[in-house]
Amino acid sequence: MSERVEIVEVGPRDGLQNEARAISVTEKVRLVDALSLVGFRRIEVASFVSEKWVPQMAGSGEVLGAITRVSGVRYGALVPNMRGLEAALKAGADEVAVFASASEGFSQANINASIAESLERFRPVLARAREVGVPVRGYVSCVTDCPYDGLVAPEAVARVAGELRTMGCFEVSLGDTLGRAAPERVDAMLGAVLERVEARALAGHFHDSFGRALENVSVALGRGVRVFDASVAGLGGCPYAPGAAGNVSSESLAAFLEAAGFEHGLEIERLRAAADVAVGLWEADG
Amino acid sequence: MSERVEIVEVGPRDGLQNEARAISVTEKVRLVDALSLVGFRRIEVASFVSEKWVPQMAGSGEVLGAITRVSGVRYGALVPNMRGLEAALKAGADEVAVFASASEGFSQANINASIAESLERFRPVLARAREVGVPVRGYVSCVTDCPYDGLVAPEAVARVAGELRTMGCFEVSLGDTLGRAAPERVDAMLGAVLERVEARALAGHFHDSFGRALENVSVALGRGVRVFDASVAGLGGCPYAPGAAGNVSSESLAAFLEAAGFEHGLEIERLRAAADVAVGLWEADG
């Protein structure tokens, strides 16, 4: 039997938050319900950041309340702080995620705090989540390239990833936020991170803005990573701000893993049906 | 020895023509020169359409004149009519391509002619190219979905592809211009086309706007197609008009073909170096 690689579906959250048009709660629910039938064990559906900053994520609580939950699927939400965590728990999130940056410039721009401050902010979130038995994932963004600071040192990524893991994150997802990461630099970054965090607690999160996501998946597979984030239909791929979005599509990733001899556990026909729903969000758009 | 699949690099033409920013002749030449070292047998570098319509293609003649030609590589150009052909020949194009649409709506919008009129316009182009011994490729766009007419009938694609082949095109490249093609529909389309054109004279040209390109490559491989168009770094993937661009990246396609056990003949390190040049076009952009 071939080795298993898990695809974590992040389209309804990371994908839609980067789309220019607003998607209604009803549309999101329809998309999540289609994704629930595909075989994903985890779907990230919501974000409890301020609606002022990411208006596309308004109605996250409603989405979590309205979806038809399928047994065996964990529905996740992004939480920036205690307030976000409480809202996510109230809405019934099965898993939450905190997010830090590997570069100071992006940390300031994205969450208005230094890396150290952001990590301090997550401590009570992790403690409270532990109390209620909700697993916490940690994202690290800008793991090779930062729009403000340029190239990011592998050691900087290792430090943040190690901190998140030590704090209690069951998994650390390493994100090439810009989609500019050269595969050689992803390899060097992983080399440094693996000194602090074991491969089975890592995930790869590669954007495809410059068509490099699958090469980077390849490199990470070679380093022992077996969990990857992806978005159905590559949601997030048509931003008005070039270079900042575009998750690798779940369909491409599944096709690639299959060709490479890994098992992903997804039902392709149902994934295609979910992709049709996602593409359909643009049909009415003209 | 594993079976060979050819990747035709179209980034300097199809990719750049869909980018919002203007790329200078010097930048294009640098990109083409990097691509010439990768192992591609064909690189599409220029387009002799009116600069009024596609300003990014201004300087096509200069590009063809300034690149460092590598033996064994054919440098191609798009030509809409006799005037374009003469300009391409003068500039030293090794191969030219004509382009028709499978849908009337797109034909009118894109080339301001009915499908039948456009095919008539190509007749003298093919005759003249034959005289001077320059091979002509035929593109068919909108092979499953048209932004104006909606779903495109497989038989309509087969008719245009068959005409182009009969006229003398050595290869017909079937394009999912919008990147919306569902794999089942690509399969049905190919079924119809293969009644008129043999697999070895076909190429697949899939855009990745919705992350479906590799699935469609998979389907076409299953139908016997062994030539695919791709763009280094997925050039064309950051348009301001959502849904109309984004070639599958040459790197993704190469990684996928390798995983699937096909030989592509490209040197990955050099492909990565060329991708770095392509990504670098945006670095200065902020």
Side-chain angles (χ1 to χ4, degrees):
Chain A
M1 202 168 131
S2 52
E3 205 183 343
R4 181 70 170 260
V5 169
E6 182 185 358
I7 302 180
V8 176
E9 172 61 46
V10 300
R13 199 281 304 169
D14 195 25
L16 293 183
Q17 108 181 3
N18 285 309
E19 294 292 346
R21 70 163 291 214
I23 310 285
S24 71
V25 168
T26 314
E27 288 173 307
K28 269 186 224 175
V29 169
R30 197 184 320 133
L31 177 61
V32 175
D33 285 350
L35 288 167
S36 289
L37 307 175
V38 173
F40 294 109
R41 294 193 304 185
R42 291 188 271 167
I43 306 176
E44 200 173 67
V45 300
S47 171
F48 291 92
V49 300
S50 166
E51 293 172 15
K52 198 169 61 185
W53 301 114
V54 186
Q56 290 91 330
M57 287 295 114
S60 275
E62 287 173 72
V63 171
L64 273 164
I67 54 176
T68 303
R69 291 182 185 232
V70 167
S71 136
V73 183
R74 253 152 64 174
Y75 298 90
L78 214 61
V79 300
N81 49 32
M82 280 303 280
R83 201 174 134 202
L85 174 68
E86 294 303 343
L89 294 177
K90 197 173 150 204
D94 302 310
E95 178 177 322
V96 297
V98 295
F99 48 103
S101 168
S103 77
E104 289 293 350
F106 192 77
S107 187
Q108 287 295 348
N110 194 40
I111 51 186
N112 198 27
S114 71
I115 296 171
E117 283 164 358
S118 74
L119 292 173
E120 281 316 305
R121 201 180 285 170
F122 300 150
R123 258 179 232 289
V125 172
L126 276 144
R128 172 82 180 119
R130 197 179 305 119
E131 266 173 34
V132 295
V134 168
V136 181
R137 186 178 218 220
Y139 279 108
V140 183
S141 50
C142 297
V143 295
T144 59
D145 297 70
C146 168
Y148 308 100
D149 301 349
L151 299 186
V152 177
E155 186 47 39
V157 186
R159 217 156 38 225
V160 177
E163 284 271 354
L164 288 170
R165 179 79 177 122
T166 306
M167 269 185 197
C169 289
F170 76 98
E171 185 174 270
V172 178
S173 177
L174 302 164
D176 171 24
T177 311
L178 288 180
R180 278 189 186 171
E184 303 83 350
R185 304 203 56 249
V186 169
D187 194 53
M189 179 274 293
L190 285 171
V193 171
L194 285 165
E195 302 270 312
R196 311 240 192 158
V197 184
E198 65 277 38
R200 63 175 179 73
L202 292 177
H205 180 106
F206 298 111
H207 284 240
D208 205 30
S209 327
F210 290 94
R212 303 184 137 182
L214 285 184
E215 271 209 292
N216 290 329
V217 167
S218 237
V219 164
L221 282 169
R223 286 281 192 176
V225 177
R226 292 295 179 266
V227 178
F228 295 95
D229 301 347
S231 278
V232 64
L235 284 178
C238 298
Y240 287 98
N247 274 108
V248 64
S249 81
S250 307
E251 301 90 290
S252 295
L253 185 52
F256 174 77
L257 290 172
E258 224 164 281
F262 290 97
E263 206 186 311
H264 52 61
L266 306 183
E267 290 191 39
I268 294 302
E269 288 311 311
R270 289 178 172 186
L271 178 56
R272 287 180 179 172
D276 282 339
V277 174
V279 174
L281 298 176
W282 276 258
E283 296 294 324
D285 236 25
Chain B
M1 200 167 134
S2 51
E3 204 182 343
R4 182 71 170 258
V5 170
E6 182 186 357
I7 301 180
V8 177
E9 173 61 47
V10 300
R13 199 279 307 168
D14 195 25
L16 293 184
Q17 108 180 2
N18 286 308
E19 294 292 346
R21 71 165 289 216
I23 309 285
S24 72
V25 167
T26 313
E27 287 173 308
K28 270 186 222 174
V29 169
R30 199 184 318 134
L31 177 61
V32 174
D33 284 349
L35 288 167
S36 289
L37 307 175
V38 174
F40 294 108
R41 296 193 304 184
R42 290 187 271 168
I43 306 176
E44 200 173 68
V45 301
S47 171
F48 291 92
V49 300
S50 165
E51 292 172 14
K52 199 169 61 185
W53 301 116
V54 185
Q56 290 91 331
M57 287 295 115
S60 275
E62 288 173 72
V63 171
L64 273 164
I67 54 176
T68 303
R69 292 183 183 231
V70 167
S71 135
V73 183
R74 253 152 63 175
Y75 299 90
L78 216 59
V79 299
N81 48 34
M82 280 304 280
R83 202 174 133 199
L85 174 69
E86 294 303 343
L89 295 177
K90 198 173 151 207
D94 303 310
E95 178 177 322
V96 296
V98 295
F99 47 103
S101 169
S103 76
E104 288 293 351
F106 192 77
S107 188
Q108 287 296 347
N110 195 40
I111 50 186
N112 199 26
S114 71
I115 296 170
E117 283 164 358
S118 74
L119 293 173
E120 280 316 306
R121 199 178 288 170
F122 299 150
R123 258 179 231 288
V125 172
L126 276 144
R128 171 82 181 119
R130 196 178 306 120
E131 265 174 33
V132 294
V134 167
V136 182
R137 188 177 215 221
Y139 279 107
V140 184
S141 50
C142 298
V143 295
T144 59
D145 297 70
C146 168
Y148 308 100
D149 301 351
L151 299 186
V152 176
E155 188 46 40
V157 185
R159 215 156 38 225
V160 177
E163 283 272 353
L164 287 169
R165 180 77 178 121
T166 306
M167 268 184 199
C169 289
F170 75 98
E171 184 175 88
V172 178
S173 176
L174 303 164
D176 171 23
T177 311
L178 288 181
R180 278 189 185 170
E184 303 84 348
R185 303 202 55 249
V186 169
D187 193 54
M189 177 274 293
L190 285 170
V193 171
L194 285 165
E195 302 271 312
R196 312 240 192 158
V197 184
E198 65 278 37
R200 62 173 181 75
L202 291 177
H205 180 105
F206 299 111
H207 284 240
D208 205 30
S209 327
F210 290 95
R212 300 183 140 183
L214 285 183
E215 272 208 292
N216 290 329
V217 167
S218 235
V219 164
L221 282 168
R223 286 282 192 176
V225 176
R226 292 294 179 269
V227 178
F228 295 94
D229 300 348
S231 277
V232 64
L235 284 178
C238 297
Y240 287 98
N247 273 107
V248 65
S249 81
S250 307
E251 302 91 289
S252 293
L253 185 52
F256 174 77
L257 289 172
E258 224 165 281
F262 290 97
E263 206 187 313
H264 51 61
L266 305 183
E267 290 192 41
I268 293 302
E269 289 311 311
R270 290 179 171 185
L271 179 55
R272 287 180 180 172
D276 282 339
V277 174
V279 174
L281 298 176
W282 276 259
E283 297 293 326
D285 236 26

PDB file of all heavy atoms in Angstrom, chain A residues 93-109:
ATOM      1  N   ALA A  93     -16.026  25.583  16.118  1.00  0.00           N
ATOM      2  CA  ALA A  93     -14.856  25.157  15.337  1.00  0.00           C
ATOM      3  C   ALA A  93     -14.231  23.923  16.005  1.00  0.00           C
ATOM      4  O   ALA A  93     -14.137  23.865  17.231  1.00  0.00           O
ATOM      5  CB  ALA A  93     -13.844  26.289  15.261  1.00  0.00           C
ATOM      6  N   ASP A  94     -13.818  22.951  15.192  1.00  0.00           N
ATOM      7  CA  ASP A  94     -13.215  21.730  15.736  1.00  0.00           C
ATOM      8  C   ASP A  94     -11.718  21.866  15.926  1.00  0.00           C
ATOM      9  O   ASP A  94     -11.102  21.070  16.623  1.00  0.00           O
ATOM     10  CB  ASP A  94     -13.449  20.551  14.768  1.00  0.00           C
ATOM     11  CG  ASP A  94     -14.910  20.317  14.500  1.00  0.00           C
ATOM     12  OD1 ASP A  94     -15.676  20.228  15.486  1.00  0.00           O
ATOM     13  OD2 ASP A  94     -15.297  20.244  13.316  1.00  0.00           O
ATOM     14  N   GLU A  95     -11.161  22.846  15.247  1.00  0.00           N
ATOM     15  CA  GLU A  95      -9.716  23.062  15.270  1.00  0.00           C
ATOM     16  C   GLU A  95      -9.527  24.553  15.029  1.00  0.00           C
ATOM     17  O   GLU A  95     -10.305  25.163  14.297  1.00  0.00           O
ATOM     18  CB  GLU A  95      -9.063  22.240  14.137  1.00  0.00           C
ATOM     19  CG  GLU A  95      -7.566  22.397  14.014  1.00  0.00           C
ATOM     20  CD  GLU A  95      -6.963  21.495  12.911  1.00  0.00           C
ATOM     21  OE1 GLU A  95      -7.412  20.349  12.732  1.00  0.00           O
ATOM     22  OE2 GLU A  95      -6.041  21.966  12.221  1.00  0.00           O
ATOM     23  N   VAL A  96      -8.516  25.148  15.637  1.00  0.00           N
ATOM     24  CA  VAL A  96      -8.248  26.560  15.361  1.00  0.00           C
ATOM     25  C   VAL A  96      -6.801  26.717  14.930  1.00  0.00           C
ATOM     26  O   VAL A  96      -5.979  25.818  15.121  1.00  0.00           O
ATOM     27  CB  VAL A  96      -8.542  27.474  16.578  1.00  0.00           C
ATOM     28  CG1 VAL A  96     -10.017  27.440  16.950  1.00  0.00           C
ATOM     29  CG2 VAL A  96      -7.660  27.096  17.764  1.00  0.00           C
ATOM     30  N   ALA A  97      -6.503  27.854  14.336  1.00  0.00           N
ATOM     31  CA  ALA A  97      -5.136  28.112  13.895  1.00  0.00           C
ATOM     32  C   ALA A  97      -4.720  29.521  14.263  1.00  0.00           C
ATOM     33  O   ALA A  97      -5.496  30.475  14.098  1.00  0.00           O
ATOM     34  CB  ALA A  97      -5.017  27.914  12.387  1.00  0.00           C
ATOM     35  N   VAL A  98      -3.506  29.643  14.803  1.00  0.00           N
ATOM     36  CA  VAL A  98      -2.919  30.961  15.044  1.00  0.00           C
ATOM     37  C   VAL A  98      -1.914  31.217  13.924  1.00  0.00           C
ATOM     38  O   VAL A  98      -1.469  30.281  13.263  1.00  0.00           O
ATOM     39  CB  VAL A  98      -2.224  31.025  16.423  1.00  0.00           C
ATOM     40  CG1 VAL A  98      -3.251  30.858  17.540  1.00  0.00           C
ATOM     41  CG2 VAL A  98      -1.120  29.979  16.545  1.00  0.00           C
ATOM     42  N   PHE A  99      -1.588  32.461  13.690  1.00  0.00           N
ATOM     43  CA  PHE A  99      -0.680  32.741  12.576  1.00  0.00           C
ATOM     44  C   PHE A  99       0.373  33.757  12.942  1.00  0.00           C
ATOM     45  O   PHE A  99       0.073  34.845  13.400  1.00  0.00           O
ATOM     46  CB  PHE A  99      -1.451  33.161  11.321  1.00  0.00           C
ATOM     47  CG  PHE A  99      -2.494  34.204  11.563  1.00  0.00           C
ATOM     48  CD1 PHE A  99      -2.274  35.531  11.217  1.00  0.00           C
ATOM     49  CD2 PHE A  99      -3.714  33.864  12.136  1.00  0.00           C
ATOM     50  CE1 PHE A  99      -3.246  36.509  11.440  1.00  0.00           C
ATOM     51  CE2 PHE A  99      -4.696  34.826  12.359  1.00  0.00           C
ATOM     52  CZ  PHE A  99      -4.459  36.144  12.016  1.00  0.00           C
ATOM     53  N   ALA A 100       1.613  33.379  12.717  1.00  0.00           N
ATOM     54  CA  ALA A 100       2.756  34.255  12.950  1.00  0.00           C
ATOM     55  C   ALA A 100       3.514  34.421  11.641  1.00  0.00           C
ATOM     56  O   ALA A 100       3.291  33.680  10.688  1.00  0.00           O
ATOM     57  CB  ALA A 100       3.663  33.644  14.005  1.00  0.00           C
ATOM     58  N   SER A 101       4.403  35.388  11.620  1.00  0.00           N
ATOM     59  CA  SER A 101       5.213  35.597  10.429  1.00  0.00           C
ATOM     60  C   SER A 101       6.667  35.288  10.749  1.00  0.00           C
ATOM     61  O   SER A 101       7.101  35.430  11.889  1.00  0.00           O
ATOM     62  CB  SER A 101       5.082  37.049   9.969  1.00  0.00           C
ATOM     63  OG  SER A 101       6.062  37.327   8.984  1.00  0.00           O
ATOM     64  N   ALA A 102       7.402  34.855   9.764  1.00  0.00           N
ATOM     65  CA  ALA A 102       8.836  34.641   9.955  1.00  0.00           C
ATOM     66  C   ALA A 102       9.620  35.932   9.718  1.00  0.00           C
ATOM     67  O   ALA A 102      10.810  35.989   9.978  1.00  0.00           O
ATOM     68  CB  ALA A 102       9.336  33.552   9.017  1.00  0.00           C
ATOM     69  N   SER A 103       8.948  36.957   9.217  1.00  0.00           N
ATOM     70  CA  SER A 103       9.643  38.229   8.956  1.00  0.00           C
ATOM     71  C   SER A 103       8.969  39.357   9.714  1.00  0.00           C
ATOM     72  O   SER A 103       7.733  39.429   9.789  1.00  0.00           O
ATOM     73  CB  SER A 103       9.638  38.530   7.456  1.00  0.00           C
ATOM     74  OG  SER A 103       8.377  39.018   7.066  1.00  0.00           O
ATOM     75  N   GLU A 104       9.787  40.241  10.286  1.00  0.00           N
ATOM     76  CA  GLU A 104       9.244  41.350  11.073  1.00  0.00           C
ATOM     77  C   GLU A 104       8.377  42.281  10.231  1.00  0.00           C
ATOM     78  O   GLU A 104       7.326  42.727  10.669  1.00  0.00           O
ATOM     79  CB  GLU A 104      10.383  42.151  11.737  1.00  0.00           C
ATOM     80  CG  GLU A 104      11.090  41.438  12.886  1.00  0.00           C
ATOM     81  CD  GLU A 104      10.205  41.218  14.134  1.00  0.00           C
ATOM     82  OE1 GLU A 104       9.083  41.770  14.203  1.00  0.00           O
ATOM     83  OE2 GLU A 104      10.650  40.454  15.013  1.00  0.00           O
ATOM     84  N   GLY A 105       8.805  42.529   8.995  1.00  0.00           N
ATOM     85  CA  GLY A 105       8.058  43.459   8.150  1.00  0.00           C
ATOM     86  C   GLY A 105       6.631  43.007   7.911  1.00  0.00           C
ATOM     87  O   GLY A 105       5.676  43.769   8.041  1.00  0.00           O
ATOM     88  N   PHE A 106       6.478  41.731   7.584  1.00  0.00           N
ATOM     89  CA  PHE A 106       5.132  41.205   7.322  1.00  0.00           C
ATOM     90  C   PHE A 106       4.326  41.111   8.613  1.00  0.00           C
ATOM     91  O   PHE A 106       3.111  41.340   8.614  1.00  0.00           O
ATOM     92  CB  PHE A 106       5.220  39.833   6.649  1.00  0.00           C
ATOM     93  CG  PHE A 106       3.902  39.363   6.081  1.00  0.00           C
ATOM     94  CD1 PHE A 106       3.425  39.881   4.883  1.00  0.00           C
ATOM     95  CD2 PHE A 106       3.141  38.416   6.748  1.00  0.00           C
ATOM     96  CE1 PHE A 106       2.212  39.446   4.357  1.00  0.00           C
ATOM     97  CE2 PHE A 106       1.918  37.984   6.233  1.00  0.00           C
ATOM     98  CZ  PHE A 106       1.459  38.506   5.034  1.00  0.00           C
ATOM     99  N   SER A 107       4.998  40.785   9.711  1.00  0.00           N
ATOM    100  CA  SER A 107       4.311  40.691  11.002  1.00  0.00           C
ATOM    101  C   SER A 107       3.679  42.041  11.346  1.00  0.00           C
ATOM    102  O   SER A 107       2.503  42.124  11.697  1.00  0.00           O
ATOM    103  CB  SER A 107       5.301  40.266  12.094  1.00  0.00           C
ATOM    104  OG  SER A 107       4.625  40.010  13.308  1.00  0.00           O
ATOM    105  N   GLN A 108       4.458  43.101  11.188  1.00  0.00           N
ATOM    106  CA  GLN A 108       3.939  44.436  11.462  1.00  0.00           C
ATOM    107  C   GLN A 108       2.784  44.779  10.528  1.00  0.00           C
ATOM    108  O   GLN A 108       1.752  45.265  10.965  1.00  0.00           O
ATOM    109  CB  GLN A 108       5.056  45.491  11.306  1.00  0.00           C
ATOM    110  CG  GLN A 108       6.090  45.485  12.425  1.00  0.00           C
ATOM    111  CD  GLN A 108       5.516  45.876  13.796  1.00  0.00           C
ATOM    112  OE1 GLN A 108       4.404  46.366  13.902  1.00  0.00           O
ATOM    113  NE2 GLN A 108       6.293  45.616  14.853  1.00  0.00           N
ATOM    114  N   ALA A 109       2.958  44.489   9.253  1.00  0.00           N
ATOM    115  CA  ALA A 109       1.951  44.879   8.260  1.00  0.00           C
ATOM    116  C   ALA A 109       0.681  44.044   8.396  1.00  0.00           C
ATOM    117  O   ALA A 109      -0.433  44.553   8.252  1.00  0.00           O
ATOM    118  CB  ALA A 109       2.520  44.738   6.851  1.00  0.00           C
TER     119      ALA A 109
END
